[in-house]
Amino acid sequence: LGATGSGKSSVINLIPRFYDPTAGAVLIDGVDIRKITVKSLRDHIGTVLQDTVLFASTVRENIAFGRPDAPEAEVIAAARAAYAHEFIMSLPQGYDTYIGEKGASLSGGQRQRLSLARAILKDPGILILDDATSSVDTETEQLIQQALRRLMQNRTSLIIAQRLSTIREADMVLLLDRGRLAAVGVRTAAETPHDQLLRTSGLYAELYERQLRPASAAAPVT
């Protein structure tokens, strides 16, 4: 969690080895990822980005990008889980519809749901979500959040967010500020990371006041 430019994406990009750390190490199950081939590492990582990456190809081929040999039934099941099947079937050729470079013919929410379907079909051990709902309307965000909850089950999920609502259910929250780790909240039997950070971090409390405090609570009584 952190404001724009705080270093969220820079940290996350270390995990798939888009670049390597200049000091220290990134470990997965205690193993330095520099000892793992890049292909093997990335085969176990799924990403859903704010700027969705789609290709000039069919809907089916975009969903199955990480698993090109996936059976048709699994492609459709992934689309259903991402709440994408209904809009796909409304396209001129359904799953065989050619969507053009970067999915230009689709809305932002539709592109995000195709990206989610791709991640669901890949079924990765590690999931990276980079502000996946930041550029969609409220109704679409609710659909995507439902799909994300399914996708995050039984896997390690790293969520980059500017909105506090995105990370309320996280087991650990890392708050970044201008390239540094400003605060850490860890779920305990008695306290959520959110409640912990409200109590211990002035910066987090400030973010909460700006984003989530009910307007009525701040309004003066007249």
Side-chain angles (χ1 to χ4, degrees):
L1 180 72
T4 300
S6 61
K8 304 182 299 296
S9 295
S10 297
V11 171
I12 289 294
N13 285 340
L14 292 168
I15 297 169
R17 291 191 67 189
F18 292 147
Y19 49 80
D20 287 328
T22 55
V26 178
L27 309 180
I28 296 179
D29 290 337
V31 177
D32 189 327
I33 62 173
R34 287 172 291 194
K35 297 180 179 179
I36 305 169
T37 65
V38 171
K39 182 182 185 306
S40 177
L41 175 67
R42 293 179 184 173
D43 280 348
H44 290 84
I45 297 174
T47 57
V48 180
L49 306 176
Q50 178 180 356
D51 297 320
T52 307
V53 179
L54 295 177
F55 307 100
S57 185
T58 65
V59 169
R60 178 185 291 101
E61 289 169 339
N62 269 280
I63 293 175
F65 178 74
R67 285 184 57 202
D69 298 326
E72 176 82 1
E74 292 186 24
V75 172
I76 293 174
R80 288 186 183 278
Y83 297 94
H85 178 73
E86 184 174 342
F87 91 76
I88 291 171
M89 294 308 294
S90 71
L91 297 175
Q93 283 81 44
Y95 285 83
D96 292 319
T97 301
Y98 186 87
I99 60 174
E101 191 69 33
K102 297 183 180 180
S105 59
L106 304 176
S107 70
Q110 289 171 337
R111 291 195 296 269
Q112 285 288 41
R113 280 178 277 172
L114 288 187
S115 182
L116 280 167
R118 179 192 296 163
I120 290 169
L121 184 64
K122 187 175 182 181
D123 194 26
I126 298 172
L127 177 66
I128 296 174
L129 305 172
D130 187 351
D131 265 345
T133 63
S134 63
S135 58
V136 298
D137 59 70
T138 303
E139 183 178 351
T140 302
E141 180 181 10
Q142 291 175 352
L143 289 176
I144 292 175
Q145 290 287 11
Q146 291 179 53
L148 288 177
R149 278 192 282 272
R150 291 187 183 185
L151 182 56
M152 289 189 290
Q153 290 177 1
N154 303 315
R155 73 188 79 244
T156 298
S157 301
L158 298 106
I159 307 168
I160 301 173
Q162 292 186 51
R163 299 177 183 174
L164 272 67
S165 56
T166 309
I167 49 84
R168 289 290 294 268
E169 298 177 14
D171 296 309
M172 177 183 289
V173 175
L174 308 177
L175 179 60
L176 300 182
D177 182 39
R178 289 174 288 185
R180 296 184 178 275
L181 184 61
V184 179
V186 181
R187 184 178 299 277
T188 66
E191 200 171 35
T192 67
H194 168 72
D195 292 334
Q196 190 179 116
L197 287 169
L198 276 181
R199 180 172 51 81
T200 61
S201 170
L203 178 60
Y204 186 89
E206 181 182 337
L207 289 172
Y208 175 76
E209 286 292 317
R210 288 206 306 262
Q211 292 187 27
L212 294 185
R213 187 181 182 190
S216 59
V221 177
T222 58

